[in-house]
Structures are given as structure tokens and as C-alpha cells.
Amino acid sequence: MDQVRERARIDEIVSAHVTLKPAGVGALVGLCPFHDERSPSFNVRPSVGRYHCFGCGEGGDVIEFIMKMDGLSFTEAVEYLAGKTGVQLRYEEGGNARPREEPGKRQRLLEANRVAAEFYAEQLMGPGAAAARTFLAERSFDRSDAEHFGVGFAPKGWDALQRHLQGRGFTQPELVASGLMSQGQRGIYDRFRGRVIWPIRDVTGAVIGFGARRLFEDDQGPKYLNTPETSLYKKSHVLYGIDLAKREIAKGKRVVVVEGYTDVMAAHLSGVTTAVATCGTAFGGDHAKVVRRLLGDTTAGGGLQLTSGGTVGGEIIFTFDGDAAGQKAAERAYGEDQRFFAQTYVAVADGGMDPCDLRMANGPEAVRALVDGRKPLFAFVIQAKIRQFDLNTVEGRVSAVRAAAPEIVGIRDRSQRDGYMREVAGWIGTEIDEVRREVGRAASTPSLRRAPDRAGGDRQSGAAASSAGSGPAADGSQPGAVPQVSAPDLRDPVARAEWLALVAVLQYPQHVPVSFDDLGEEAFVVPAWQAVHTAIRAAGGVTAGREISTALWVAAVLEQAPEAVAGLVTQLAVADLPEDRESAIGAVVEGVVRNVVDHVLGRRVADAKSRLRRLDPDTEAYQTAFADLLTIEARRRTLRESTND
């Protein structure tokens, strides 16, 4: 991991997402990608290998940046950075890492998919692709739209792509392993032929597979054909459009799940830039993990809807057709509801039109209105269940209440349950007491309850999420938010003096006077800075820091720091000292550290004098205490004389 961190320069990785400008000695600053701001407060210090936003508090190293920016797990982020920097990873036997291909194979398959995507895109403008261009034009997509989403065309021949890729040096086994070719009795042949092609990318933007739509009557294959399961492409993990939507999802805490490739295109072109779609399968648990990482919805109270209409933890909005198949899809999505610290909604257009049809019929504003007019998913599901019964009969009304009760029990926000009991009573035309009795029976009967929350407990109440997690979960998400120690008010002169000293010690240990390591645990009086100083001492002090790179030194301190203090260490590691001349940094570091040492010695002098006043001058203890006082005063005098020099 250390090799990945050292090779992957944080300024280069961050610069792909944020425009950085110099700000002081060895520091860069830009607008934070994790929250909206007008004045830059996002600081990066390449020598330390860390970033911190003084506006929203996000911070970490290059691996954590990629995890948060692209919604990757820790393992995925390390693998991504290793691939970019040429670091060969080794996996421990018996570890949790998934089985790996031989070295370099993954990159070869990714490269084959990239070249194939370029080939298909080029073919879209060729003479044989008129049907594909017509297909797109009939859905109000022009050439620039196709280029934005990488849409292409697979020629009708059996080996057009095969010849192109083999001409670029790819072997037949590689082409079969990539899913681009199928194996027949007479050899391999192009899997996609005579179809509109959509490249499917992962969150990093790498092409991992393709989706293809039939165009010609003589094509006997399915209407939609996707890449088969490969080492790169797992349909249960893939969301089309995630590469384009990821940053807006992370920023706006909203994801819109639509049903097809053209729906994603229509939504994005209509301003709904958080739209994604599953690829040939229903939305499931693995998709939920991807979305959860992007939303960052791991805080207590997530999923609560506010009176303003917003939510805590974000929103998951599913769009479905209004037919029976759409209702079944909604119920499947409802089964995943408990995986989120977010509010789940459904949006169904009048007439059952999907976003693509809606855009063509009524324009982009209609797609935006569809999403903005969403309704809670559980309300949609409950109403669908109620519609199965004849409410004009007593038997039908009783059955409808019994069908709705388990769904009401499953509503995570307890404050909303009573309101929905009233709503259900109104929808069915019965007394609310009857609904309450049935809900109580469902709550006390395990066989009637909805599937339990997989995260444990009633998360909506925040009870399960309030405990501090100790590290990433198996999928890379954080199991619980650990409360961070806040930075003290730097307007306090003591807090600022100690802050400056710790900034210097973390960033420039080579310039720190060796006397710093002689300071005991009482050296810092501000509790937050005491905790950081304790971690510094546990990491070996500046004596150890001088022997390694600054990045490794900060990492060593972080290893010793409690999780609640880690954010403070990162802040200190990227903060600016009050000096913009690199040649003067050494003197500034010595000065701010000596200032703290002087204050420590001053307190020790005062303590020694106080002790002397309590002792009998004729005792040996007094003589010992007096000698200690002289030693401390001599040290302080020497320190001040060296400072004046």
C-alpha cells in the first residue's frame, strides 16, 4: 500500500478532478469536489500525500480520495491506482481479495474493450450504419449526443471487430476472455453484429463491457444483448452511466435509477445527470452497494425526510413503467430499501412513458418534472397492494388492511408510520383503529414482517448507526461514522501557538529542534493538541520523522492516532505556516517549536518554584528541588539565547 501511495502523486490524481493553484510553500488549493463552495478551501500538500477541505472537513490520502470521488472500495481504489502507476500488487493467501488473473491480463482486457469502443464509435458514421443513425434520430439523439455517451455501431459481418483487434496485437484467447468474441465450432466470431452499441464503463471510466440493441429483422438474437459474465463485467455489479453520474450523485446525494440505455441518455440530456440503469438484470444488493458508496449514506438518521422536502442521507429514485411489470420491479426495489441510509422514491409518468419517450413527447422539462414529482416508494407499493382487492366489500377491505400492514411496519421512519396508517385508512375507507390493530399484529408476528434490515436494527431511528465502526466493511463502505475531535478556536493564543508547532512537526520534522522530543505528555495544554502530540510521541517523535519521507512520517503518526483524532492530524498535515518563502521555512519551524518549548519550560519553572515554597530549606528534598529549578532555568536560558542568535 505504501508503494501505491508514494507512486500515485496526490496532486496529479486530484488535478484530474479539481483545478489546483499554488497557495503558500508546498501547498495547492482548489474548490472542494465534495461540497459546493465559492472560495477555495480544499488543500493538497504533495509532500505529505494528503488533502483536507477546511470547509466540509473531508480529508485523507490519495487512496481515500479515489474511494470517495469514484465510489470505490478500498481494494478497488488500490487496484485502480496500482494500474495507473505500474505497481504490481501481491495478494495474501487466504485473504478476502477476489481471485486474480495472471499479471497484466486485466489491463489487456481493459485495453481490448477500449479499442473496441473506439472502433464501434467510428463505425457509427460509416455507410453501413444508416439504420443505427435512424434509430438514434427517431429518439431525438444527434451526433453530439452519441459522441458524449460513446454510442457506436457493430458492423453486420462476422469478423469485422476480430480483424481490427487482432491487427492491434490481441490474441484470440484474450478476445474470448473479454466477451467481445463468441466461440463457435469453426472458431471465434464477433459477438455483436448489426446492432447499436453502448459502451458500459465502471466508475473510473474504464470500458468493461457493452450493451447492444437489435436493428435488423434478420437478426434472430434477443432485442438486447450484453457482454457475458467476464472477469471485468459482472452484471449484478454494473450500472450504466455511473461514470457520468458519479460526481453529481456524490454532490447532490441523489441517484435516479431508470430502465434502459436510452433512458439514461434522455435523462442526462434533460438535466437529470444522476441517472443510471442496470444492465440486463433487476436492481439488486450489489447495485445497492455501489450506490451506497457514492451517496456516502452511512450516517445515523439517514433516510429521514425533512419538512423542507429534502432528506438526510440522500434519495434513491426509481422510474418504472406503470404496467404490471413495472409494479413488480418496484416491489423488488422495495426489497432493497433497507440497504440504504436514504429515502427511496418511485417516479411513474402519466401514461407509463419512460424518460426517453417522455423527452420526445413533451421535452426535457417533462423528464425533470417526472423526477421532481416522485413519491415515496413504500406509498407506491402499498397502493399497488391495496388495488388488488375489491374495496366495495367488507372482505376486500379487511384483506387490503392485512396486506398493507407489513409494509407499514417496514417503514423505517417511525414518525411517518402513524401518518401512513391514517393514509391507508383513507385509501381503503376503514377506521384507523382497525389499521393500527393489524399493524400491531404484523409487528409482533415475525412471519408477517418485511425482511429485516440487513445492517441490523431499525436504522431509521439511528440506534444501529450510532456506534463507532472500527474500519471498512467488506464492500469498502464505512460501517459507522466515528465522531471526530474538533479543532480548537485558533483565536486563542495558546491554541494557535500549539497548532503552529504541530503543523511544523508534521510537515518539516527535519527542521524541528531535537529538544522537542524531550517534552513530556504535559507539554501541550489544549486537549485536542495533546492527543496529536501523544500520537507523535508514539510514532517515535521527530527523531523518527527525520529518517523517512514526510508522507510516511504523517502516515506513521496516523497509525498511532485514535480514529477520532485522525481528521486533526490530516488538517495539520496540509495547513499553511505563516511564511511564503521556502528559504525561510526552516527558521519559522524552529521558531514556532521553540516557542512551545519555552512555554513548557516556563510552566516547569513555575511548578518548581511552587514546590520550593512548600519545602523546608534545611531538608535534602529542598536542595534536590532547588537543583532541578536551576537545571530548568538553564535550559530555558540556553533556548532563548540560541533563539536570539
Side-chain angles (χ1 to χ4, degrees), residues 298-312:
T298 55
T299 57
L304 289 170
Q305 188 168 17
L306 306 175
T307 55
S308 64
T311 58
V312 177

Side-chain angles (χ1 to χ4, degrees), residues 65-388:
F65 179 82
I66 288 296
M67 288 174 64
K68 293 171 184 174
M69 199 71 213
D70 291 335
L72 300 180
S73 68
F74 179 81
T75 300
E76 290 168 337
V78 171
E79 290 174 339
Y80 169 72
L81 291 171
K84 288 184 69 70
T85 57
V87 175
Q88 184 65 49
L89 297 176
R90 292 191 299 273
Y91 294 84
E92 295 180 0
E93 291 188 17
N96 293 324
R98 55 186 178 275
R100 306 296 302 166
E101 306 91 351
E102 58 269 21
K105 182 177 179 181
R106 178 180 173 84
Q107 289 304 121
R108 289 287 292 171
L109 298 185
L110 287 172
E111 181 66 9
N113 277 286
R114 185 191 67 78
V115 174
E118 291 179 349
F119 173 80
Y120 289 139
E122 291 172 358
Q123 300 304 307
L124 184 62
M125 294 300 116
R133 295 193 293 272
T134 299
F135 171 88
L136 293 171
E138 288 175 346
R139 288 156 180 79
S140 299
F141 300 128
D142 58 25
R143 180 172 180 174
S144 64
D145 299 333
E147 291 174 349
H148 179 67
F149 292 93
V151 182
F153 173 71
K156 295 187 72 173
W158 291 81
D159 63 352
L161 179 62
Q162 178 187 348
R163 287 186 283 106
H164 179 74
L165 290 174
Q166 287 187 322
R168 297 286 292 270
F170 293 98
T171 66
Q172 289 193 7
E174 287 175 333
L175 299 183
V176 173
S178 69
L180 294 167
M181 302 294 141
S182 297
Q183 183 70 55
Q185 294 182 348
R186 299 182 180 180
I188 66 172
Y189 57 91
D190 290 2
R191 177 177 178 82
F192 305 113
R193 305 178 306 281
R195 289 175 174 254
V196 177
I197 297 287
W198 287 269
I200 300 170
R201 299 182 174 92
D202 64 14
V203 291
T204 70
V207 180
I208 57 175
F210 296 89
R213 204 267 190 191
R214 185 178 61 205
L215 290 173
F216 302 103
E217 293 296 330
D218 59 353
D219 187 339
Q220 300 302 306
K223 183 177 181 180
Y224 282 95
L225 182 66
N226 288 343
T227 293
E229 294 282 305
T230 70
S231 60
L232 298 179
Y233 182 87
K234 307 292 183 185
K235 65 181 180 181
S236 64
H237 295 70
V238 172
L239 289 169
Y240 174 70
I242 197 71
D243 56 310
L244 298 174
K246 62 184 179 183
R247 286 178 198 133
E248 290 303 314
I249 291 173
K251 183 179 290 185
K253 302 300 182 186
R254 170 189 277 191
V255 60
V256 179
V257 182
V258 299
E259 293 195 302
Y261 306 122
T262 56
D263 291 333
V264 170
M265 294 175 67
H268 278 251
L269 295 172
S270 299
V272 183
T273 53
T274 59
V276 297
T278 59
C279 300
T281 185
F283 189 92
D286 290 322
H287 297 121
K289 291 179 183 178
V290 175
V291 170
R292 189 169 67 240
R293 288 201 297 264
L294 287 173
L295 287 175
D297 57 347
T298 55
T299 57
L304 289 170
Q305 188 168 17
L306 306 175
T307 55
S308 64
T311 58
V312 177
E315 300 179 359
I316 317 294
I317 303 173
F318 296 92
T319 65
F320 301 111
D321 294 336
D323 56 15
Q327 290 184 4
K328 288 183 178 179
E331 291 187 18
R332 285 195 300 268
Y334 192 28
E336 300 299 331
D337 176 72
Q338 295 293 319
R339 293 181 182 270
F340 299 108
F341 284 97
Q343 187 76 35
T344 48
Y345 295 90
V346 64
V348 177
D350 294 338
M353 287 191 290
D354 58 34
C356 184
D357 293 335
L358 197 60
R359 175 174 174 263
M360 288 189 293
N362 300 320
E365 59 277 1
V367 179
R368 296 193 295 272
L370 169 66
V371 174
D372 291 339
R374 75 252 188 257
K375 66 163 55 176
L377 181 57
F378 41 77
F380 179 84
V381 171
I382 290 171
Q383 288 176 332
K385 288 186 176 295
I386 291 174
R387 283 195 295 269
Q388 299 174 18

Side-chain angles (χ1 to χ4, degrees), residues 473-498:
D475 68 349
S477 61
Q478 292 295 330
V482 176
Q484 294 289 302
V485 175
S486 299
D489 188 346
L490 297 184
R491 289 174 296 185
D492 179 283
V494 175
R496 179 167 179 79
E498 294 185 351

